[in-house]
Amino acid sequence: MTAIAERPTIQVPTKLNERLSQKEKSKKIMKWIRFRDKKLRGKFEFLKHQDELGLAITLGSAAGMILFAGLYIAGIIPAWACIVANGVLASILHEVEHDLIHNLYYKDNLKIQNFMFWTVWIFRGNTVSPWYRRMIHTLHHKVSGHKEDIEERLIGNGMKFGLKRFITMMDGNMSFLFQSHILRREAPKFKRSEITRSSWPYLVIYFHLWYNFLFINLFYIGNELLGKPVEIPAWLDTVRHFLNISAVVYTIPNWIRQTSIQIVSSNMHYYGDVKGLHDQTQVLNRWFLFPLHLFCFNFGSTHGIHHFVVNQPFYLRQAVAPFVHPAMKRYGIRFNDFGSIFRANRLGNQEALAA
């Protein structure tokens, strides 16, 4: 049978709404994703080496972050170039971690898999441990759009539009303070002690570097504006210099990366009136989202594909997206529903209550 004969067929959208259930539409979308995935794997021989590709991407991205940090420290590139480069490379490592969570690399070799987990965590310090993330992300696929979805609710999904939600999306500590007491009531698998343990050591190190960088620089700026009433000791200058370097090569790139993906993810997932797989996500792919997508590896455009087919590495998900998006649209997946943030991510237009 030829590849053309195997190609899924798309019916007229109006007929689909009349004749197909949401479950049937989801199956159609899965067929389109798997069809294109199979075509690409057959065409490009190197895609068969999935384990090796994952490891190479991990080591290459980590080495790239070290390289750009060295170039900045040596005065060869400006701070903005290092921040952008390391933010993009960290976003690639985030995708690798997500694939590892789904056992897409070295599932039969835990030593290498755990080495990769450690690597992606070290270079993206503002996250909980990947082993804890595996638990909450697996749960996310089971209960996406519901109260028990720890992963998405911790980044603002389902919250009423306003300042509190924006702070939740931008600061992990504040998110924990805002949401933990609610999740303790509504999500049985949420344990504050588990998140605390999974924050050591790298999340704790990251936030110490980040908050000290912010507070010390605010102090310096305030002191300057007030005419330098405080005489600053030499040792504090040394501390500030170290924190400023660490900010350019590590904390700022990861803050931008994390904030970008949390804004996109918390708004592309629906919440509250989700009835099944077909309702869980939308596609966000407008051109003005490019600054966010640059630092979260086009997440809003492709993550919905992952919800339909989870055993696909991130680079193939990107490759199939242009082919699959038309089918997703025809089978009723929403595109660029920016109003969802004003509805607390509800599918419907009814007044949404804060989660």
Side-chain angles (χ1 to χ4, degrees):
M1 185 176 290
T2 65
I4 294 175
E6 296 173 0
R7 186 185 180 99
T9 58
I10 293 182
Q11 297 167 293
V12 180
T14 53
K15 291 183 178 180
L16 286 176
N17 292 332
E18 296 171 1
R19 296 172 55 187
L20 296 180
S21 67
Q22 287 197 351
K23 189 174 182 179
E24 289 170 327
K25 292 176 186 178
S26 296
K27 288 181 178 179
K28 294 281 188 182
I29 293 170
M30 291 177 195
K31 285 183 179 180
W32 277 89
I33 297 169
R34 289 176 176 140
F35 168 79
R36 190 59 174 174
D37 184 279
K38 185 178 179 181
K39 291 280 289 183
L40 289 172
R41 289 178 186 272
K43 184 176 180 180
F44 299 104
E45 190 74 19
F46 70 89
L47 292 176
K48 295 179 180 178
H49 305 284
Q50 189 165 300
D51 289 346
E52 293 79 5
L53 279 172
L55 181 59
I57 292 169
T58 302
L59 296 177
S61 298
M65 291 184 71
I66 294 171
L67 172 63
F68 282 106
L71 292 174
Y72 167 71
I73 293 169
I76 297 173
I77 62 172
W80 68 264
C82 182
I83 290 170
V84 171
N86 279 6
V88 171
L89 290 168
S91 76
I92 295 173
L93 289 174
H94 183 84
E95 293 298 312
V96 171
E97 182 196 63
H98 177 249
D99 287 353
L100 285 166
I101 284 170
H102 286 282
N103 270 319
L104 298 187
Y105 311 122
Y106 294 101
K107 65 179 179 180
D108 297 321
N109 191 328
L110 288 182
K111 287 185 178 180
I112 297 180
Q113 190 178 91
N114 286 334
F115 166 75
M116 292 172 70
F117 263 147
W118 279 110
T119 302
V120 298
W121 191 20
I122 290 169
F123 284 85
R124 299 160 35 263
N126 58 336
T127 66
V128 292
S129 85
W131 296 275
Y132 179 73
R133 279 205 68 231
R134 173 174 274 169
M135 185 277 287
I136 61 174
H137 186 72
T138 302
L139 179 66
H140 162 66
H141 280 278
K142 294 177 181 177
V143 296
S144 182
H146 299 282
K147 291 181 178 181
E148 299 85 359
D149 189 354
I150 298 169
E151 184 176 55
E152 282 300 317
R153 295 191 67 195
L154 276 174
I155 62 173
N157 184 246
M159 291 180 69
K160 185 184 291 187
F161 177 77
L163 180 61
K164 184 177 178 181
R165 173 159 182 166
F166 277 100
I167 294 173
T168 296
M169 291 188 294
M170 294 182 184
D171 188 282
N173 280 332
M174 295 304 296
S175 168
F176 183 75
L177 291 174
F178 290 155
Q179 294 291 82
S180 61
H181 66 288
I182 300 172
L183 289 172
R184 286 177 70 183
R185 292 197 313 266
E186 298 180 349
K189 292 192 176 182
F190 178 81
K191 302 289 188 294
R192 293 183 62 172
S193 59
E194 288 183 0
I195 290 188
T196 301
R197 284 197 303 271
S198 69
S199 299
W200 289 86
Y202 300 115
L203 184 61
V204 175
I205 292 171
Y206 176 90
F207 275 122
H208 274 82
L209 291 172
W210 177 239
Y211 289 136
N212 277 296
F213 159 73
L214 293 176
F215 293 147
I216 287 178
N217 278 283
L218 283 173
F219 168 71
Y220 268 74
I221 292 169
N223 195 47
E224 187 76 27
L225 292 173
L226 294 172
K228 297 183 179 180
V230 178
E231 184 176 348
I232 297 175
W235 66 265
L236 192 57
D237 281 332
T238 302
V239 171
R240 185 193 184 203
H241 180 66
F242 168 76
L243 290 171
N244 287 349
I245 290 175
S246 69
V248 171
V249 305
Y250 186 62
T251 54
I252 292 177
N254 272 303
W255 180 81
I256 295 173
R257 176 201 64 76
Q258 187 77 350
T259 299
S260 296
I261 197 167
Q262 290 182 171
I263 291 173
V264 172
S265 184
S266 70
N267 289 298
M268 68 162 296
H269 288 89
Y270 287 106
Y271 175 84
D273 49 358
V274 172
K275 297 180 177 64
L277 176 61
H278 190 272
D279 293 341
Q280 289 176 0
T281 61
Q282 61 167 307
V283 175
L284 297 175
N285 63 352
R286 287 285 177 84
W287 64 269
F288 53 78
L289 295 173
F290 173 76
L292 293 173
H293 279 155
L294 177 65
F295 294 104
C296 66
F297 214 80
N298 203 30
F299 188 89
S301 180
T302 61
H303 184 67
I305 296 171
H306 169 69
H307 271 246
F308 288 101
V309 176
V310 299
N311 62 338
Q312 186 180 51
F314 73 98
Y315 46 84
L316 273 174
R317 193 158 60 248
Q318 298 292 331
V320 305
F323 180 85
V324 173
H325 279 168
M328 295 176 75
K329 185 172 289 187
R330 287 184 176 93
Y331 287 111
I333 300 302
R334 297 188 187 190
F335 277 64
N336 302 306
D337 176 19
F338 296 109
S340 69
I341 190 173
F342 302 106
R343 306 191 303 268
N345 302 113
R346 269 57 175 186
L347 279 157
N349 293 315
Q350 71 270 28
E351 184 179 349
L353 300 176

